[in-house]
Amino acid sequence: MRTLGEAVLPRSGPAAQGVDASGIDRFVTAVAALSDAELHSLMVLRHGHVVAEHWWPPYEPGTPRLAYSVSKSFTSTALGFAVDEGRVDLDATVLSYFPELDAEVTDERSRAIRVRHVAAMASGHDGDAFERARTAGDGDMLRGFLLTPPEHEPGTVFAYNQPCTHALSAIIQRISGGSLTAYLRPRLFEPLGITRTGWTRDPQGREIGFSGLHVPTEAIAKLGQLYLRNGVWADRQLLSPQWVEEATRAHITTGVPETDWDQGYGFQFWRSRHGYRGDGAYGQFMLVLPEADAVVAITSQSLDAPGVLEAVWTHLLPALTADAPPDRVWTPGTVPLPGPAADGLQPDRTPLTLRPGTGNQLPGLHTVQVVTGPDEIRLREGDSELAAALGAPGAWTTTGPLATASAWAGGQLHVDVIFVETPHRLHLRLDPAAGTFEARWETSPLGDPPLSELRVPR
């Protein structure tokens, strides 16, 4: 049994680990200047120590949040344990783990897809086969993936293909007889002290693998540190160094016209201009930087992921290898994320029940209510209702998985709703005179899930 001390990342001032704290400031400032990027959390590790960490309110350190495709690197780690234990063979075909599908899968290329091919996003398909696989399998993505013939020989072309990772997840769950989380718990989560997790499941009950993992930022940083140390955690070899090397080297060229997406792809890891990374939609990053003996974990709401990485290379990476001033510490500001702006005029507060207006972008959201004493906002979607205390102007009020801030402007009530277990923010504009509301996403959740599912899976 591991002790608590072994699971805690030690903290240190930046200068003690040779880090120039002013470079961290410059990185944060550079990202803030981007029009389509918003940091939610940042952890910087060097020489195994946390030298900088910050969460922008209403985001908090212990809250698990959706990592999007950083989930893939956790799924890859599960594969690594299974390979190290001799339970999965990289050169076996995917089909061999599901003999019940053997009679159905007749295409020779589908039958030839190996585990190493799906690990490297090289199944032979031209692009993401997500929708085709879901349709072909009547909702069973694993079956549909094997029933969707690749256009090319497996192992010859790269395509970022969600069913590839789902196949890895399905294999782990087949050989273990349990969930992906259950397999990782004694091997990864418990040794690293990762206690708060949730993972989205498919209709067959499988954790989907390619996305859907909810973990705190520190869990992302810890996984990066495990790989940086070649599979060692607290003097214990959890993963073999052979797996770390195999998973993080380039197995196939990607041909993606963005510099940091054109360095090759490993086993569910992207190669970068510097080191390698786990990479999730809207700017979720686990950056492993062997040249600096460093790890950077970032959660954000960013459409400009290349801009965020450029800021890392321009400002943060040099700070990690600089001669640091001996007395410089990093003291981040405490300013929360901005909310709606008020114009100073606030009508008398009265209960409101509003219907969708012509500018509403969420067709499933059919009613918004504001009640008073205490102030609360309620969102009705289908048969479900989300309720949260209504935050004041310039401040966030958190109620479970929701945080709100509100302000009156131009006779309308503007409410921002942050789903704090995800990267996403919903903008609401309530018009009492017209009896209507308009809703739009700052960034749209992938897959268009119901609002009630924008939280850690239960």
Side-chain angles (χ1 to χ4, degrees), residues 68-73 76 119-121 158-162 165 210 227 246-281 284-290 305 309 313:
Y68 275 120
S69 284
V70 176
S71 307
K72 292 178 170 70
S73 298
S76 174
M121 296 290 187
F158 170 84
Y160 198 65
N161 191 0
Q162 312 301 339
T165 319
F210 57 84
Y227 274 82
E246 189 74 357
T248 62
R249 70 176 178 88
H251 286 269
I252 195 163
T253 58
T254 55
V256 180
E258 281 285 357
T259 304
D260 280 296
W261 285 260
D262 195 25
Q263 307 297 317
Y265 196 78
F267 286 165
Q268 309 294 297
F269 289 88
W270 290 91
R271 294 295 305 180
S272 301
R273 277 177 282 173
H274 302 277
Y276 54 90
R277 69 188 190 278
D279 185 326
Q284 322 315 312
F285 288 119
M286 177 185 69
L287 308 178
V288 183
L289 308 171
L309 287 179
W313 311 144

Short mmCIF file of all heavy atoms in Angstrom, two decimals, residues 68-73 76 119-121 158-162 165 210 227 246-281 284-290 305 309 313:
data_model
loop_
_atom_site.label_atom_id
_atom_site.label_comp_id
_atom_site.label_asym_id
_atom_site.label_seq_id
_atom_site.Cartn_x
_atom_site.Cartn_y
_atom_site.Cartn_z
N TYR A 68 -11.31 15.81 -22.26
CA TYR A 68 -11.43 15.52 -23.69
C TYR A 68 -10.34 14.51 -24.09
O TYR A 68 -10.18 13.49 -23.44
CB TYR A 68 -11.42 16.81 -24.51
CG TYR A 68 -12.80 17.43 -24.63
CD1 TYR A 68 -13.05 18.72 -24.16
CD2 TYR A 68 -13.88 16.74 -25.16
CE1 TYR A 68 -14.32 19.29 -24.25
CE2 TYR A 68 -15.16 17.30 -25.26
CZ TYR A 68 -15.36 18.58 -24.81
OH TYR A 68 -16.63 19.12 -24.90
N SER A 69 -9.58 14.77 -25.14
CA SER A 69 -8.70 13.72 -25.68
C SER A 69 -7.42 13.50 -24.89
O SER A 69 -6.64 12.60 -25.25
CB SER A 69 -8.36 14.02 -27.14
OG SER A 69 -9.47 13.72 -27.98
N VAL A 70 -7.18 14.25 -23.82
CA VAL A 70 -6.13 13.82 -22.90
C VAL A 70 -6.50 12.46 -22.33
O VAL A 70 -5.64 11.68 -21.90
CB VAL A 70 -5.90 14.87 -21.79
CG1 VAL A 70 -4.88 14.38 -20.76
CG2 VAL A 70 -5.40 16.18 -22.40
N SER A 71 -7.80 12.13 -22.36
CA SER A 71 -8.27 10.79 -21.97
C SER A 71 -7.51 9.71 -22.73
O SER A 71 -7.26 8.62 -22.19
CB SER A 71 -9.77 10.65 -22.26
OG SER A 71 -10.53 11.68 -21.70
N LYS A 72 -7.17 9.97 -23.97
CA LYS A 72 -6.50 8.97 -24.80
C LYS A 72 -5.17 8.53 -24.18
O LYS A 72 -4.79 7.36 -24.27
CB LYS A 72 -6.26 9.51 -26.21
CG LYS A 72 -7.52 9.73 -27.04
CD LYS A 72 -7.18 10.31 -28.41
CE LYS A 72 -8.38 10.31 -29.36
NZ LYS A 72 -9.42 11.27 -28.98
N SER A 73 -4.45 9.47 -23.57
CA SER A 73 -3.16 9.11 -22.98
C SER A 73 -3.35 8.23 -21.75
O SER A 73 -2.49 7.38 -21.45
CB SER A 73 -2.38 10.38 -22.64
OG SER A 73 -2.11 11.13 -23.81
N SER A 76 -4.05 4.85 -23.26
CA SER A 76 -2.77 4.30 -23.69
C SER A 76 -2.00 3.71 -22.51
O SER A 76 -1.37 2.65 -22.63
CB SER A 76 -1.92 5.39 -24.35
OG SER A 76 -0.62 4.93 -24.66
N ALA A 119 -3.54 1.79 -31.82
CA ALA A 119 -2.83 2.61 -30.84
C ALA A 119 -2.19 3.83 -31.50
O ALA A 119 -2.09 4.90 -30.89
CB ALA A 119 -1.77 1.79 -30.12
N ALA A 120 -1.76 3.68 -32.75
CA ALA A 120 -1.09 4.76 -33.48
C ALA A 120 -2.00 5.52 -34.43
O ALA A 120 -1.53 6.27 -35.28
CB ALA A 120 0.10 4.18 -34.26
N MET A 121 -3.31 5.33 -34.33
CA MET A 121 -4.26 5.99 -35.23
C MET A 121 -3.94 5.67 -36.69
O MET A 121 -3.98 6.53 -37.57
CB MET A 121 -4.27 7.51 -35.03
CG MET A 121 -4.74 7.97 -33.68
SD MET A 121 -6.53 7.68 -33.47
CE MET A 121 -6.80 8.50 -31.89
N PHE A 158 -2.18 7.83 -41.47
CA PHE A 158 -2.66 8.37 -40.20
C PHE A 158 -4.03 9.01 -40.40
O PHE A 158 -4.27 9.70 -41.39
CB PHE A 158 -1.69 9.43 -39.68
CG PHE A 158 -2.21 10.23 -38.51
CD1 PHE A 158 -2.09 9.74 -37.22
CD2 PHE A 158 -2.83 11.46 -38.71
CE1 PHE A 158 -2.58 10.48 -36.13
CE2 PHE A 158 -3.32 12.20 -37.64
CZ PHE A 158 -3.19 11.71 -36.35
N ALA A 159 -4.94 8.78 -39.47
CA ALA A 159 -6.19 9.52 -39.40
C ALA A 159 -6.60 9.56 -37.94
O ALA A 159 -6.64 8.52 -37.26
CB ALA A 159 -7.28 8.88 -40.24
N TYR A 160 -6.89 10.75 -37.44
CA TYR A 160 -7.30 10.90 -36.05
C TYR A 160 -8.71 10.35 -35.92
O TYR A 160 -9.68 10.97 -36.33
CB TYR A 160 -7.24 12.37 -35.65
CG TYR A 160 -7.22 12.61 -34.17
CD1 TYR A 160 -6.15 12.19 -33.39
CD2 TYR A 160 -8.27 13.28 -33.55
CE1 TYR A 160 -6.13 12.41 -32.02
CE2 TYR A 160 -8.26 13.52 -32.19
CZ TYR A 160 -7.19 13.08 -31.42
OH TYR A 160 -7.17 13.30 -30.07
N ASN A 161 -8.82 9.16 -35.34
CA ASN A 161 -9.97 8.31 -35.51
C ASN A 161 -10.43 7.81 -34.15
O ASN A 161 -9.81 6.93 -33.55
CB ASN A 161 -9.57 7.13 -36.42
CG ASN A 161 -10.74 6.30 -36.89
OD1 ASN A 161 -11.88 6.55 -36.55
ND2 ASN A 161 -10.44 5.27 -37.67
N GLN A 162 -11.52 8.38 -33.62
CA GLN A 162 -11.97 8.05 -32.27
C GLN A 162 -12.21 6.55 -32.05
O GLN A 162 -11.88 6.02 -30.99
CB GLN A 162 -13.24 8.84 -31.92
CG GLN A 162 -13.20 10.33 -32.21
CD GLN A 162 -12.10 11.09 -31.50
OE1 GLN A 162 -11.58 10.63 -30.49
NE2 GLN A 162 -11.75 12.25 -32.01
N THR A 165 -9.22 4.49 -30.54
CA THR A 165 -9.02 4.50 -29.10
C THR A 165 -10.11 3.70 -28.40
O THR A 165 -9.85 3.02 -27.39
CB THR A 165 -9.00 5.94 -28.57
OG1 THR A 165 -8.26 6.77 -29.46
CG2 THR A 165 -8.38 5.99 -27.19
N PHE A 210 -11.68 7.34 -25.72
CA PHE A 210 -11.14 8.41 -26.54
C PHE A 210 -11.40 9.79 -25.95
O PHE A 210 -10.77 10.78 -26.33
CB PHE A 210 -11.67 8.34 -27.97
CG PHE A 210 -13.18 8.38 -28.10
CD1 PHE A 210 -13.87 9.58 -28.11
CD2 PHE A 210 -13.90 7.20 -28.20
CE1 PHE A 210 -15.26 9.61 -28.21
CE2 PHE A 210 -15.29 7.22 -28.32
CZ PHE A 210 -15.97 8.43 -28.32
N TYR A 227 5.47 9.61 -16.94
CA TYR A 227 6.13 9.36 -18.22
C TYR A 227 7.49 10.03 -18.28
O TYR A 227 8.46 9.46 -18.81
CB TYR A 227 5.23 9.83 -19.38
CG TYR A 227 4.24 8.76 -19.79
CD1 TYR A 227 3.05 8.59 -19.10
CD2 TYR A 227 4.51 7.91 -20.86
CE1 TYR A 227 2.15 7.59 -19.45
CE2 TYR A 227 3.61 6.91 -21.23
CZ TYR A 227 2.44 6.75 -20.51
OH TYR A 227 1.57 5.75 -20.87
N GLU A 246 8.13 3.34 -26.30
CA GLU A 246 7.31 2.92 -27.44
C GLU A 246 6.09 3.81 -27.60
O GLU A 246 5.71 4.18 -28.72
CB GLU A 246 6.87 1.46 -27.24
CG GLU A 246 6.20 0.83 -28.44
CD GLU A 246 7.17 0.48 -29.57
OE1 GLU A 246 8.36 0.79 -29.45
OE2 GLU A 246 6.72 -0.11 -30.57
N ALA A 247 5.46 4.18 -26.50
CA ALA A 247 4.23 4.96 -26.57
C ALA A 247 4.47 6.39 -27.02
O ALA A 247 3.58 7.00 -27.63
CB ALA A 247 3.52 4.95 -25.21
N THR A 248 5.64 6.93 -26.74
CA THR A 248 5.86 8.36 -26.96
C THR A 248 6.74 8.67 -28.16
O THR A 248 6.96 9.85 -28.45
CB THR A 248 6.47 9.01 -25.70
OG1 THR A 248 7.74 8.41 -25.41
CG2 THR A 248 5.55 8.82 -24.49
N ARG A 249 7.21 7.65 -28.87
CA ARG A 249 7.96 7.93 -30.11
C ARG A 249 6.97 8.01 -31.27
O ARG A 249 5.83 7.54 -31.19
CB ARG A 249 9.01 6.86 -30.37
CG ARG A 249 8.47 5.50 -30.77
CD ARG A 249 9.58 4.53 -31.11
NE ARG A 249 9.10 3.20 -31.45
CZ ARG A 249 8.75 2.83 -32.68
NH1 ARG A 249 8.82 3.70 -33.70
NH2 ARG A 249 8.33 1.60 -32.92
N ALA A 250 7.40 8.62 -32.36
CA ALA A 250 6.53 8.73 -33.54
C ALA A 250 6.46 7.40 -34.27
O ALA A 250 7.49 6.85 -34.67
CB ALA A 250 7.06 9.81 -34.47
N HIS A 251 5.25 6.88 -34.45
CA HIS A 251 5.05 5.63 -35.19
C HIS A 251 4.59 5.89 -36.61
O HIS A 251 4.70 5.00 -37.46
CB HIS A 251 4.00 4.76 -34.47
CG HIS A 251 4.52 4.12 -33.23
ND1 HIS A 251 5.10 2.87 -33.21
CD2 HIS A 251 4.55 4.57 -31.95
CE1 HIS A 251 5.46 2.56 -31.98
NE2 HIS A 251 5.14 3.58 -31.20
N ILE A 252 4.06 7.08 -36.84
CA ILE A 252 3.52 7.37 -38.17
C ILE A 252 3.54 8.88 -38.37
O ILE A 252 3.40 9.65 -37.42
CB ILE A 252 2.08 6.81 -38.31
CG1 ILE A 252 1.65 6.79 -39.78
CG2 ILE A 252 1.09 7.55 -37.42
CD1 ILE A 252 0.45 5.89 -40.03
N THR A 253 3.76 9.30 -39.62
CA THR A 253 3.70 10.72 -39.93
C THR A 253 2.24 11.15 -40.01
O THR A 253 1.37 10.38 -40.39
CB THR A 253 4.42 11.03 -41.25
OG1 THR A 253 3.81 10.26 -42.30
CG2 THR A 253 5.90 10.68 -41.16
N THR A 254 1.99 12.41 -39.63
CA THR A 254 0.62 12.86 -39.53
C THR A 254 0.17 13.73 -40.70
O THR A 254 -1.01 13.71 -41.08
CB THR A 254 0.42 13.65 -38.22
OG1 THR A 254 1.38 14.72 -38.18
CG2 THR A 254 0.63 12.74 -37.02
N GLY A 255 1.06 14.54 -41.25
CA GLY A 255 0.69 15.38 -42.38
C GLY A 255 -0.36 16.42 -42.06
O GLY A 255 -1.12 16.84 -42.92
N VAL A 256 -0.41 16.87 -40.79
CA VAL A 256 -1.38 17.89 -40.38
C VAL A 256 -0.72 19.26 -40.54
O VAL A 256 0.39 19.47 -40.04
CB VAL A 256 -1.83 17.67 -38.93
CG1 VAL A 256 -2.83 18.73 -38.50
CG2 VAL A 256 -2.43 16.27 -38.77
N PRO A 257 -1.37 20.22 -41.19
CA PRO A 257 -0.71 21.49 -41.50
C PRO A 257 -0.63 22.47 -40.34
O PRO A 257 -0.87 23.66 -40.49
CB PRO A 257 -1.57 22.06 -42.64
CG PRO A 257 -2.93 21.51 -42.39
CD PRO A 257 -2.70 20.13 -41.82
N GLU A 258 -0.34 22.00 -39.15
CA GLU A 258 -0.03 22.84 -38.00
C GLU A 258 1.23 22.27 -37.40
O GLU A 258 1.33 21.06 -37.16
CB GLU A 258 -1.16 22.82 -36.96
CG GLU A 258 -2.36 23.70 -37.28
CD GLU A 258 -2.08 25.18 -37.06
OE1 GLU A 258 -0.97 25.52 -36.60
OE2 GLU A 258 -2.97 25.99 -37.35
N THR A 259 2.21 23.14 -37.11
CA THR A 259 3.54 22.66 -36.77
C THR A 259 3.54 21.63 -35.66
O THR A 259 4.19 20.58 -35.78
CB THR A 259 4.43 23.86 -36.36
OG1 THR A 259 4.43 24.81 -37.43
CG2 THR A 259 5.85 23.40 -36.09
N ASP A 260 2.82 21.88 -34.58
CA ASP A 260 2.86 20.95 -33.45
C ASP A 260 1.95 19.74 -33.63
O ASP A 260 1.90 18.89 -32.76
CB ASP A 260 2.51 21.69 -32.16
CG ASP A 260 3.70 22.47 -31.62
OD1 ASP A 260 4.70 21.84 -31.26
OD2 ASP A 260 3.63 23.71 -31.60
N TRP A 261 1.26 19.67 -34.74
CA TRP A 261 0.48 18.48 -35.08
C TRP A 261 1.09 17.75 -36.28
O TRP A 261 0.49 16.84 -36.80
CB TRP A 261 -0.97 18.88 -35.38
CG TRP A 261 -1.74 19.21 -34.14
CD1 TRP A 261 -2.61 18.38 -33.49
CD2 TRP A 261 -1.72 20.43 -33.40
NE1 TRP A 261 -3.13 19.03 -32.39
CE2 TRP A 261 -2.60 20.28 -32.31
CE3 TRP A 261 -1.03 21.64 -33.55
CZ2 TRP A 261 -2.81 21.30 -31.37
CZ3 TRP A 261 -1.24 22.65 -32.62
CH2 TRP A 261 -2.12 22.48 -31.55
N ASP A 262 2.29 18.13 -36.65
CA ASP A 262 2.97 17.54 -37.80
C ASP A 262 4.33 16.97 -37.41
O ASP A 262 5.26 16.93 -38.21
CB ASP A 262 3.14 18.59 -38.91
CG ASP A 262 3.50 17.97 -40.26
OD1 ASP A 262 3.15 16.79 -40.46
OD2 ASP A 262 4.12 18.66 -41.08
N GLN A 263 4.44 16.51 -36.16
CA GLN A 263 5.70 15.96 -35.66
C GLN A 263 5.64 14.44 -35.50
O GLN A 263 6.58 13.84 -35.01
CB GLN A 263 6.04 16.60 -34.32
CG GLN A 263 6.05 18.11 -34.31
CD GLN A 263 7.10 18.70 -35.22
OE1 GLN A 263 8.24 18.22 -35.26
NE2 GLN A 263 6.75 19.73 -35.97
N GLY A 264 4.52 13.84 -35.93
CA GLY A 264 4.35 12.40 -35.78
C GLY A 264 3.47 12.06 -34.60
O GLY A 264 3.24 12.87 -33.70
N TYR A 265 2.94 10.84 -34.62
CA TYR A 265 2.01 10.39 -33.59
C TYR A 265 2.50 9.09 -32.98
O TYR A 265 2.98 8.19 -33.69
CB TYR A 265 0.61 10.19 -34.19
CG TYR A 265 -0.50 10.10 -33.17
CD1 TYR A 265 -1.00 11.25 -32.57
CD2 TYR A 265 -1.05 8.88 -32.81
CE1 TYR A 265 -2.03 11.18 -31.63
CE2 TYR A 265 -2.08 8.80 -31.88
CZ TYR A 265 -2.56 9.95 -31.29
OH TYR A 265 -3.58 9.88 -30.36
N GLY A 266 2.42 8.98 -31.64
CA GLY A 266 2.83 7.77 -30.94
C GLY A 266 1.65 6.87 -30.67
O GLY A 266 0.75 6.73 -31.49
N PHE A 267 1.64 6.26 -29.51
CA PHE A 267 0.50 5.46 -29.08
C PHE A 267 -0.38 6.34 -28.20
O PHE A 267 -0.25 6.38 -26.97
CB PHE A 267 0.95 4.22 -28.31
CG PHE A 267 1.54 3.13 -29.18
CD1 PHE A 267 2.26 2.09 -28.60
CD2 PHE A 267 1.39 3.13 -30.55
CE1 PHE A 267 2.79 1.06 -29.38
CE2 PHE A 267 1.93 2.12 -31.34
CZ PHE A 267 2.64 1.09 -30.74
N GLN A 268 -1.25 7.14 -28.85
CA GLN A 268 -2.18 8.05 -28.18
C GLN A 268 -1.47 9.24 -27.54
O GLN A 268 -1.98 9.86 -26.60
CB GLN A 268 -3.04 7.31 -27.15
CG GLN A 268 -3.73 6.07 -27.69
CD GLN A 268 -4.79 6.38 -28.75
OE1 GLN A 268 -5.77 7.04 -28.47
NE2 GLN A 268 -4.58 5.88 -29.96
N PHE A 269 -0.31 9.56 -28.04
CA PHE A 269 0.43 10.78 -27.69
C PHE A 269 0.83 11.48 -28.98
O PHE A 269 1.26 10.83 -29.95
CB PHE A 269 1.71 10.46 -26.90
CG PHE A 269 1.49 10.00 -25.49
CD1 PHE A 269 1.30 8.65 -25.22
CD2 PHE A 269 1.50 10.89 -24.43
CE1 PHE A 269 1.11 8.19 -23.92
CE2 PHE A 269 1.30 10.44 -23.12
CZ PHE A 269 1.11 9.09 -22.87
N TRP A 270 0.72 12.81 -28.99
CA TRP A 270 1.25 13.62 -30.08
C TRP A 270 2.71 13.97 -29.79
O TRP A 270 3.06 14.32 -28.66
CB TRP A 270 0.48 14.93 -30.22
CG TRP A 270 -0.93 14.81 -30.73
CD1 TRP A 270 -2.06 14.65 -29.99
CD2 TRP A 270 -1.34 14.86 -32.10
NE1 TRP A 270 -3.16 14.59 -30.80
CE2 TRP A 270 -2.75 14.72 -32.11
CE3 TRP A 270 -0.67 15.02 -33.32
CZ2 TRP A 270 -3.50 14.73 -33.28
CZ3 TRP A 270 -1.41 15.03 -34.48
CH2 TRP A 270 -2.80 14.89 -34.47
N ARG A 271 3.54 13.89 -30.81
CA ARG A 271 4.86 14.49 -30.72
C ARG A 271 4.73 16.00 -30.90
O ARG A 271 3.86 16.48 -31.63
CB ARG A 271 5.78 13.92 -31.80
CG ARG A 271 6.11 12.45 -31.64
CD ARG A 271 6.91 12.14 -30.41
NE ARG A 271 8.15 12.92 -30.33
CZ ARG A 271 9.03 12.83 -29.34
NH1 ARG A 271 8.81 12.00 -28.33
NH2 ARG A 271 10.12 13.57 -29.35
N SER A 272 5.57 16.77 -30.22
CA SER A 272 5.57 18.22 -30.32
C SER A 272 6.93 18.71 -30.81
O SER A 272 7.89 17.93 -30.87
CB SER A 272 5.27 18.85 -28.95
OG SER A 272 4.04 18.43 -28.43
N ARG A 273 7.01 20.00 -31.11
CA ARG A 273 8.33 20.57 -31.41
C ARG A 273 9.28 20.35 -30.25
O ARG A 273 10.50 20.22 -30.45
CB ARG A 273 8.19 22.07 -31.69
CG ARG A 273 7.78 22.41 -33.10
CD ARG A 273 7.60 23.90 -33.28
NE ARG A 273 6.33 24.37 -32.72
CZ ARG A 273 6.00 25.65 -32.61
NH1 ARG A 273 6.85 26.59 -33.01
NH2 ARG A 273 4.83 26.00 -32.12
N HIS A 274 8.73 20.29 -29.05
CA HIS A 274 9.52 20.01 -27.85
C HIS A 274 8.79 18.92 -27.08
O HIS A 274 7.67 19.11 -26.60
CB HIS A 274 9.67 21.27 -27.00
CG HIS A 274 10.32 22.41 -27.71
ND1 HIS A 274 11.68 22.54 -27.82
CD2 HIS A 274 9.77 23.46 -28.37
CE1 HIS A 274 11.96 23.63 -28.52
NE2 HIS A 274 10.82 24.21 -28.87
N GLY A 275 9.42 17.76 -26.98
CA GLY A 275 8.83 16.67 -26.23
C GLY A 275 7.58 16.10 -26.88
O GLY A 275 7.47 16.01 -28.11
N TYR A 276 6.62 15.73 -26.05
CA TYR A 276 5.39 15.10 -26.53
C TYR A 276 4.26 15.50 -25.59
O TYR A 276 4.48 16.10 -24.53
CB TYR A 276 5.54 13.58 -26.61
CG TYR A 276 6.01 12.93 -25.33
CD1 TYR A 276 5.09 12.47 -24.38
CD2 TYR A 276 7.37 12.75 -25.06
CE1 TYR A 276 5.51 11.87 -23.20
CE2 TYR A 276 7.80 12.15 -23.88
CZ TYR A 276 6.88 11.72 -22.96
OH TYR A 276 7.30 11.12 -21.80
N ARG A 277 3.02 15.14 -25.97
CA ARG A 277 1.91 15.66 -25.18
C ARG A 277 0.66 14.80 -25.30
O ARG A 277 0.44 14.13 -26.30
CB ARG A 277 1.56 17.08 -25.62
CG ARG A 277 0.95 17.20 -27.01
CD ARG A 277 0.81 18.67 -27.43
NE ARG A 277 0.03 18.82 -28.65
CZ ARG A 277 0.51 18.67 -29.88
NH1 ARG A 277 1.78 18.36 -30.07
NH2 ARG A 277 -0.28 18.83 -30.93
N GLY A 278 -0.19 14.88 -24.27
CA GLY A 278 -1.60 14.56 -24.37
C GLY A 278 -2.31 15.84 -24.73
O GLY A 278 -1.97 16.91 -24.23
N ASP A 279 -3.35 15.73 -25.57
CA ASP A 279 -3.91 16.93 -26.20
C ASP A 279 -5.41 16.77 -26.33
O ASP A 279 -5.88 15.86 -27.03
CB ASP A 279 -3.25 17.10 -27.57
CG ASP A 279 -3.63 18.37 -28.29
OD1 ASP A 279 -4.78 18.82 -28.15
OD2 ASP A 279 -2.77 18.91 -29.02
N GLY A 280 -6.17 17.63 -25.64
CA GLY A 280 -7.62 17.54 -25.69
C GLY A 280 -8.25 18.77 -26.29
O GLY A 280 -7.67 19.86 -26.29
N ALA A 281 -9.46 18.62 -26.79
CA ALA A 281 -10.19 19.72 -27.42
C ALA A 281 -10.27 20.93 -26.50
O ALA A 281 -10.32 20.80 -25.28
CB ALA A 281 -11.60 19.26 -27.80
N GLN A 284 -6.88 21.47 -23.65
CA GLN A 284 -6.49 20.68 -22.49
C GLN A 284 -5.13 20.03 -22.86
O GLN A 284 -5.05 19.29 -23.84
CB GLN A 284 -7.52 19.61 -22.16
CG GLN A 284 -8.98 20.01 -22.35
CD GLN A 284 -9.38 21.35 -21.82
OE1 GLN A 284 -9.07 21.70 -20.68
NE2 GLN A 284 -10.07 22.14 -22.64
N PHE A 285 -4.10 20.28 -22.08
CA PHE A 285 -2.76 19.83 -22.44
C PHE A 285 -2.06 19.16 -21.28
O PHE A 285 -2.14 19.61 -20.13
CB PHE A 285 -1.89 21.02 -22.89
CG PHE A 285 -2.26 21.60 -24.23
CD1 PHE A 285 -2.65 22.92 -24.33
CD2 PHE A 285 -2.19 20.83 -25.38
CE1 PHE A 285 -2.98 23.47 -25.56
CE2 PHE A 285 -2.53 21.37 -26.61
CZ PHE A 285 -2.92 22.69 -26.70
N MET A 286 -1.32 18.09 -21.61
CA MET A 286 -0.31 17.50 -20.75
C MET A 286 0.99 17.53 -21.56
O MET A 286 1.17 16.72 -22.48
CB MET A 286 -0.67 16.07 -20.36
CG MET A 286 0.38 15.37 -19.52
SD MET A 286 -0.04 13.63 -19.21
CE MET A 286 0.15 12.94 -20.88
N LEU A 287 1.87 18.48 -21.26
CA LEU A 287 3.10 18.65 -22.01
C LEU A 287 4.24 18.02 -21.23
O LEU A 287 4.50 18.39 -20.07
CB LEU A 287 3.39 20.13 -22.24
CG LEU A 287 2.26 20.98 -22.85
CD1 LEU A 287 2.69 22.43 -22.97
CD2 LEU A 287 1.84 20.42 -24.20
N VAL A 288 4.93 17.08 -21.84
CA VAL A 288 6.08 16.42 -21.23
C VAL A 288 7.32 16.91 -21.98
O VAL A 288 7.43 16.71 -23.20
CB VAL A 288 5.95 14.89 -21.29
CG1 VAL A 288 7.12 14.23 -20.58
CG2 VAL A 288 4.63 14.44 -20.67
N LEU A 289 8.23 17.54 -21.24
CA LEU A 289 9.36 18.24 -21.85
C LEU A 289 10.67 17.67 -21.29
O LEU A 289 11.27 18.24 -20.36
CB LEU A 289 9.26 19.74 -21.55
CG LEU A 289 7.93 20.40 -21.92
CD1 LEU A 289 7.87 21.83 -21.39
CD2 LEU A 289 7.73 20.37 -23.43
N PRO A 290 11.14 16.53 -21.83
CA PRO A 290 12.36 15.94 -21.29
C PRO A 290 13.57 16.87 -21.33
O PRO A 290 14.42 16.82 -20.44
CB PRO A 290 12.56 14.70 -22.20
CG PRO A 290 11.18 14.37 -22.67
CD PRO A 290 10.51 15.69 -22.86
N ALA A 305 -5.63 26.66 -29.90
CA ALA A 305 -4.65 25.78 -29.27
C ALA A 305 -3.24 26.01 -29.81
O ALA A 305 -2.28 25.99 -29.03
CB ALA A 305 -5.07 24.32 -29.45
N LEU A 309 0.18 26.84 -27.45
CA LEU A 309 1.46 26.14 -27.52
C LEU A 309 2.58 27.08 -27.91
O LEU A 309 3.70 26.98 -27.38
CB LEU A 309 1.36 24.97 -28.50
CG LEU A 309 0.56 23.76 -28.02
CD1 LEU A 309 0.54 22.68 -29.09
CD2 LEU A 309 1.13 23.20 -26.73
N TRP A 313 6.20 27.71 -25.95
CA TRP A 313 7.56 27.63 -26.50
C TRP A 313 8.28 28.97 -26.42
O TRP A 313 9.50 29.01 -26.21
CB TRP A 313 7.52 27.16 -27.95
CG TRP A 313 6.71 25.95 -28.26
CD1 TRP A 313 5.97 25.73 -29.38
CD2 TRP A 313 6.55 24.76 -27.47
NE1 TRP A 313 5.34 24.51 -29.34
CE2 TRP A 313 5.68 23.87 -28.17
CE3 TRP A 313 7.02 24.35 -26.22
CZ2 TRP A 313 5.31 22.64 -27.68
CZ3 TRP A 313 6.64 23.11 -25.72
CH2 TRP A 313 5.81 22.26 -26.44
#
